[in-house]
Amino acid sequence: MSAQQALQSPTEYFSHYGKQHTFHHQILDYIKHIDDKSDMVSMKKFGETYQGRPLNLIFVSSVENIRNLEDIRITNIYNSGVNTIKPANINEKAIVWCSFGVHGNEAGTTETVPNFIYQLISGKDVRTNEWLKNTIVIIDPSLNPDGYDRYVHYLKSVSGVNENPTLSHRERMEPWPSGRYNHYMFDMNRDWAWQTQKESKERIMIYNQWLPHIHADFHEMGANANYYFAPAAEPYHKFMSSFQKDFQVEIGKNHASYFDKNGWLYWTREVFDLFYPSYGDTYPTYSGAIGMTYEQAGNSSSGRTIQLENGDTLTIQEKIEHNTVVALSTVEISSKNADKIISNFKNYYSESIKNPNGKYKTYVLKSSPSMQRLTELFDRSGIQYGFATTNSKSTAYHYQSKSSKSFDVQAGDMIIQASQPRSVLLQVLMEEEPTLTDSLTYDITSWALPFAYGIDCYAYTAAFKTDTSKTKPTVSKSDPESTNLFSIQVPWNDLNSVKVLADLHKKDYKVRMSIKESSYQGKVIPKGTLMVNRGDNKRKKDFEKDINIILSKHNINDYVQHTSGFSDKGGDLGGNYFQLIKAPKVLTFSGRGISANSCGEIWYYFDELLDYQINIVEWDQFDRADLSAFNTIILPDGYYKINDERFKTLVEWTNKGGRLIVIEGALRNFSGKEGLTFETFATEDEKKAAEEEKLKQELKDRFNDFEGLERRSISKGTGGAIIKNVVDDSHPLGYGLGKSYYSLKTSSSTYVTQKGMWNVIHIPSKYDSYGFLGSGIKKKLENAVSFAVQAYGNGQAIYMVDNPLFRSFWDKGLLLFSNAVYLNGVLPENY
Ligand SMILES: [Zn+2]
């Protein structure tokens, strides 16, 4: 018996195949079986999930191509211009990358992989060998194995012997959190550009080592929705090439021909657009591929089988069949057009260097503490940059003041030229105001990195040249003056400062924060600076050593050592200007009603970013938590209701000195309440005026046409836009943020500036905004509050109208959130 004969099909290998889902490790077992039996397959591990499941790629092609994979990869990277050294063996092949199951509970996608590979290599379809001669297929069988197994474990645990397709059955009612999310409950189909999650980081690294020509991202949607494939809906980003637009149509027509033959229903162009850069279709698109989303009807609401509106049932077997046809058709059309695809790919990248898209040809980013994380993001995506080596005077458009300004280019500032292979991605990520061809988009409409990272940015419409080096010039720190060290001053201006504080607290160090400016021996201590005094930490034998280790671990170079506590100006180190920070003991809530994303962002912030303890209790079990053990409680975004009894408990807990942080949707519980209140309107008159306005609108709406419904509902709010807020930086919630904060507004709720509390971050009456804001919300945002603090008894409530942890990519938001977590301890009583 030859090796090929011993190859088993998925149905021979799994008795359940097509009837029940398969655990992730079993899917990999089958792929290993194929890998052992066939020289047309090669599996490569590239990473691991948070829960320790392997992340793999499977390469499928002709035996010869599999042998020459590395030549093919290097040739392609050379063609992109990312690598300029000509390879010894030029070997051009079409590269098709298929991603399955970024949303783990869309399990029919991953379930398709065994059949897809088997069909490609078994020779059952004689055409596949021909296709694989000039085409490499790269398969990611499961982008989110933790979410996939979470769902499959659940489904199996409630599956009886008999299938039950009726709608009201727990097989189709997945518990919280669903398998859509990864371990930290992030939606990784919103994380492609930011790569906050381990899985995304590791995947993007290898993705950019290949830069495929075609990328298909397999999903599932509602069970009655039939099948969706390319071409995508408008809006398209204006930087898409005409080939990228046109070839989607050819791909779609090829799929349609098979669906037509089988009588299967499908649709294109209606919903899924190509705009927000962090999806599995757009990120590849901005990386030179034809990036596409495919959606099979189903998802976790379909269980093993489900009754459809048309009286039919949908099964796992059907999902596998549809996905396999679409996947094979993708390979076929790519193979048939391999030459065209490769030449357009080359053209895309050479144009990126010769004629970059976008208004600006050079960016200067002023040196900033958050720059380290930005360089890591650029490195993973292959975006090239340098650092100025000399100082010079210049004039350019300044993002933050929206005008042309003269400024000093200083050694260490980041210089980015638009003319480079990854120009399109760079320009998309840097754009102040991405152009929408249509306001009906799925997601946030603005994301400019200079605002997200809070970095001053200057942009040139003609290339600006200056000497640069690849690495940032390092500031050498003079040796510690170890004689009689009195105190170490650490700036509070970045997530790294917060990490230092968290590490010090973990080692039980006492740390203070300055609440007013002072100066010592000519050195200024601004408000909001961390001070670690020897006098507060007398028990610590290795005071200097411990602190130096922590400072260097988090790359803090600009600390200052003091040998005396006596000030020139302001307060002495032992006085009231310096308040002890209470180490946070944090509680937050999970469970149905709470946004899994928001809960996950809080969990990730403490557990992963700060490496600091966080306690999470199911909202249903609120009464079992001993609140007195905590000084910080965070109410995540969500749609949950806080009943009167729990509300009273939280008010009493705050009164005793707790710090209550309330995020976005949770704010709805605070209107018209006793003690802790947060109101939509400032006065009864305002409320009445708004109600009258609403009534007027309703009367007008009586003559609306039916067709315009979707468009009208969009005009009421925002899918996500950037708003420039004013910061009261004398309040601890504003420390380290400067005079303005660019808030990413993702909800359409607005709240007026509040009475009887600190409206620390608010929108002025004339404000700058970026991205789409509906006409119905623009006016309401004037003088609205975004972040406020209510002092209450010995504690306080911090209200967050916008979620600063949104997808964890808004870097400056992480510092703002940290202010909320740590500020209670720095406020003198009755502040
Ligand atoms: Zn999906």
XYZ file of all heavy atoms in Angstrom, residues 102-103 106 180 189 218-221 295, ligand 1:
93
model
N -11.397 33.254 13.248
C -10.910 34.267 14.188
C -11.954 34.451 15.292
O -11.615 34.746 16.433
C -10.572 35.593 13.467
C -11.818 36.283 12.931
C -9.812 36.549 14.386
N -13.200 34.264 14.925
C -14.264 34.181 15.930
C -14.508 32.698 16.201
O -15.049 31.985 15.358
C -15.544 34.850 15.425
C -15.362 36.328 15.200
N -15.905 37.002 14.139
C -14.675 37.245 15.934
C -15.567 38.294 14.227
N -14.812 38.451 15.303
N -17.663 30.627 15.485
C -18.093 30.423 14.100
C -17.376 29.162 13.625
O -16.496 29.168 12.765
C -17.750 31.683 13.284
C -18.563 32.874 13.806
C -18.065 34.252 13.344
O -17.186 34.330 12.483
O -18.595 35.245 13.869
N -16.562 33.615 20.636
C -16.136 34.647 19.674
C -14.788 35.240 20.071
O -13.966 35.559 19.227
C -17.191 35.756 19.656
C -16.875 36.930 18.758
C -18.014 37.964 18.846
N -17.766 39.127 18.023
C -18.067 39.234 16.720
N -18.630 38.208 16.098
N -17.817 40.329 16.047
N -10.751 39.969 15.470
C -10.979 40.521 14.134
C -11.048 42.050 14.176
O -11.414 42.689 13.203
C -12.259 39.962 13.510
C -12.313 40.219 12.012
O -11.277 40.194 11.343
N -13.497 40.483 11.481
N -12.462 33.524 6.826
C -13.722 32.779 6.889
C -14.461 33.036 8.202
O -13.906 32.847 9.286
C -13.453 31.271 6.743
C -13.104 30.862 5.339
C -11.843 31.113 4.821
C -14.042 30.224 4.533
C -11.513 30.737 3.522
C -13.720 29.833 3.225
C -12.459 30.096 2.717
N -15.722 33.431 8.070
C -16.579 33.732 9.224
C -17.927 33.032 9.090
O -18.222 32.414 8.075
C -16.864 35.242 9.293
C -15.692 36.064 9.699
N -15.576 36.605 10.945
C -14.591 36.453 9.017
C -14.446 37.294 11.022
N -13.825 37.214 9.862
N -18.751 33.214 10.141
C -20.157 32.809 10.067
C -21.030 33.937 10.590
O -20.582 34.761 11.387
C -20.407 31.546 10.907
C -19.822 30.303 10.278
C -20.095 29.038 11.102
O -20.795 29.118 12.131
O -19.585 27.990 10.700
N -22.275 33.948 10.126
C -23.234 34.983 10.566
C -24.567 34.306 10.872
O -24.621 33.091 11.000
C -23.373 36.024 9.455
C -23.819 35.416 8.159
S -23.758 36.559 6.773
C -23.844 35.396 5.424
N -18.560 34.781 4.622
C -19.453 34.486 5.747
C -20.431 33.380 5.372
O -21.316 33.570 4.534
C -20.266 35.736 6.146
C -19.430 36.931 6.555
C -19.373 37.151 8.075
O -20.020 36.387 8.814
O -18.668 38.089 8.484
Zn -16.934 36.461 12.479
